[in-house]
Amino acid sequence: MTKGNINVSVENIFPLIKKFLYSDHEIFLRELVSNATDATLKLKHLTNIGDAKVEYGNPVIEVKIDKEGKKLHIIDQGLGMTADEVEKYINQVAFSGAEEFLDKYKDSAKDSGIIGHFGLGFYSAFMVAEKVEIITKSFKDEPAAHWTCDGSPEFTLEASDKTDRGSEIILHIAEDSTEFLEESRISELLYKYNKFMPVSIKFGTKEINDPEHTPETTTDKDGKETTEPHRKITVDNIINNPNPAWTKQPADLKDEDYSAFYRELYPMQMEEPLFNIHLNVDYPFNLTGILYFPKMSNDMQIQKDKIQLYQNQVYVTDNVEGIVPEFLTMLRGVIDSPDIPLNVSRSYLQADGAVKKISSYITRKVADKLKSLFNSNREDFEAKWNDIKIVIEYGMLSEDKFFEKSEAFTLYPTVDGKYYTYDELFNKIKANQTDKDGKLVILYASNADAQHSYIESAKAKDYEVLLLDSPIVSHLIQKLESTKENITFARVDGDHVNNLIKKDETTISKLDEEQTKTLDELLKSVIPSDKFQVQLEAMDSTETPFTITQPEFMRRMKEMQASGGGGMQMFGNMPEMYNVIVNTNSKLVSDILATEAKEDKDRLITQSLDLARLSQGLLKGEELTNFIKRSYEMIK
């Protein structure tokens, strides 16, 4: 038997491991199962190239709980180690960087990116174990070895009578970590970290119906049928899928395969995804994966953290910001890259060049897929537009390269349910919606029902009105106005339609200068100036007498602030201001001027204003109650 000290120049590294890695203590199981997987796959490679003269077979990694003995076993059938290799890989390599480790992490206990640094993967076992044993037999014709360490730098290494190839790690679970002796806890961790590992993982057994047994059905004398119960058999409980869909070639997968994998990833998700994007690149970095577009709502607080990051089929995290562009973190699916380490951390992601290339690749791949879907079946793409637009619009705002590509598939829907690309829209409206200064005015509504009367006024002039109702529309149209030449967006209720698209022709007012002045003073004496600005306009006599609008600039700034526009806080305390556009050619205005009693004039103005406010949803509470009461009185 050999005794010795682990090659480490500090008095006791193990308490430090426990202290620094405590917040991530559950990942010890990920590390040990990953090591077992590596040992198994290395043996497969050696047998394939002829360097290992053994039968590879169909190896399994087994995880076992010995609750009574307070032990957890991880057993593999991989290449194993000789005594010399245990000395080299466990005692020396693991702590050759111990001093560097201490220097790097002594002030950063919260850093979770330690696992994997300086060979600490195996030693994460000491976060939960007071003693660890390794019993291992190499695929080479050499004696088995038994290594034991009790959490101090001292170890023992002796011969073992193990005869089967591979390694068994035995963790003597510490008193403060007995949760890892619970079957439910270990099962949870295996499903979380290892459910797609490339080697089958056994955790206990389960009963299933015997596939070779067909239950017999018998009929008694009264004609009643009875079917015998299924015969049960006990089989290994394999908790993982070693060949998940993303590891296969797209040509080998059908739509139903992608759907089945989606349900495997998200068993509680009832809705099917709209479509998927298969990622597969091996230069200048390695990346595979499948991203799914779920049905989206306009809620910007939608649940993120639905994309799972793997390294060689080992689960790393579901926080993929920095790897996946932010606008795509609303998607679901899997990304797997050996170029992203298991100890992934924020600082690493910000500095690593490969990660930036991965992000750019994913952006390009998603844009190419959207373009392909649009070109191959535009009708279907239009049908899905409302479910995917929030991701596309967010991408247009946040990623310039995506914005450039998006012109090929971004749609602009109208209130009538038609869909245009930008070029189609431009060509459709440029003749009719160019104002007297030569600027193209793109009209839009955010709520077709609430803005119905304004939409109808615009349609009466054969203007096209878009329906742009996402919460980031104010940011988006600002971006479009700054990148497209000589265009402006105007919400259809931002002003009277004649003012939204000003033409050369003018309408003559029926009122003379004196009447206009009288009307202006009368209106301003009744309409509160802290909320409304009176605006007299000469329009067709059939147009609405009183119209309420909100100035485009002010409304847009408030919307941008509400949806997270940086620097917009200055508008937060400004009062809501509206314009009251009064049609001087309407019969109602003539009637107001012709009414003799001041009280009756005021009542007509108040009633007209309240009608306009009602149409905009601005009449509420006591004012609405008074309006209804007053309206009944007028009917009498």
Side-chain angles (χ1 to χ4, degrees), residues 237-252:
N237 180 33
I238 303 299
I239 61 94
N240 62 322
N241 172 4
N243 301 296
W246 84 79
T247 64
K248 301 172 184 176
Q249 290 298 315
D252 297 332

Side-chain angles (χ1 to χ4, degrees), residues 14 129 344 404 470 522 578-579 583 598 603 619:
F14 296 100
V344 64
E404 292 166 14
S470 77
L522 186 59
Y578 295 90
N579 293 330
N583 181 5
K598 178 72 165 66
R603 191 175 73 253
L619 203 59

Side-chain angles (χ1 to χ4, degrees), residues 263-305:
R263 287 191 294 274
E264 194 175 349
L265 285 173
Y266 311 105
M268 304 306 291
Q269 184 65 38
M270 296 298 108
E271 281 189 319
E272 286 288 310
L274 297 167
F275 51 85
N276 64 77
I277 300 169
H278 199 130
L279 308 169
N280 195 345
V281 63
D282 55 17
Y283 182 82
F285 48 82
N286 287 290
L287 179 82
T288 54
I290 300 172
L291 296 179
Y292 293 91
F293 265 76
K295 283 192 173 183
M296 298 285 180
S297 69
N298 275 347
D299 183 8
M300 289 298 287
Q301 303 306 313
I302 190 168
Q303 174 67 45
K304 295 186 181 182
D305 297 343

